[in-house]
Amino acid sequence: MAQLTRDQVYVLIPTYNEEKNISSLVRAIREAGFPVLLVDDGSRDGTPVKIKELGGDFLLLSPNRGKGAALRKGFEWFLSRKFEALIMMDSDGQHDPGELDVFLDEISKEKSDFIVGDRMQCPKSMPFVRKMTNRFMSWIISSLAGQKIPDSQCGYRAIRREALKCLELETDRFEIESEMLLEAARTGVRIGSVPIRCVYQGEKSRINPMTDTVRFFKFLFSYLGRRRSR
């Protein structure tokens, strides 16, 4: 499998109330040579204005529906174009644009068609509760998927076009991280991981460990029931 070039890959970033971070993040991605699509999920601050000022490709959604809904809109846009692979990043500063080439190199290999970032090899800066929640969820997803996925909740990931086309996705919120992996495993997509930096600088995460763990299990029961009925 030939090495992919930067102009064959698009970076997709869902955003919500990130007016402080979005401009510097997009500039760093563009300076690295990657095209980027921003999908704003009904932000209530100045994020849409910043996005328009940046130019380039963007989608502005309203009202707010959740990360999953924003990603799915971005996937539709991507699949209507002729790019070979997609890299997903969060907009809150926890994903280092300097590691984009790591994903580009890994997705170019024949080993895997879906690459998930792995922060758990050195999670020193990750809050303890977040770390334990991630390990627990990753163990469950790995067991159900039949493939080892050390950091199933990491949003920094890359997927080849043909693999993305196989996924039947329905969720609107953070469950999308798990749904993508289970769908990939169901359809035979090869899932790999790559070590990345764990970047936490005291910012408040939008993920609530208690609330989102409950939502995670509701999603699992719903997903497994849905699959059995088909």
Side-chain angles (χ1 to χ4, degrees), residues 143 154 167 228:
S143 299
C154 181
L167 311 187
R228 289 194 189 99

Side-chain angles (χ1 to χ4, degrees), residues 67 88-90 95 116 119 151 153-157 177:
K67 181 180 182 180
M88 290 151 270
M89 296 179 70
D90 291 342
H95 296 160
V116 183
R119 302 162 295 176
D151 191 0
Q153 303 308 298
C154 181
Y156 206 171
R157 39 180 72 183
E177 323 277 35

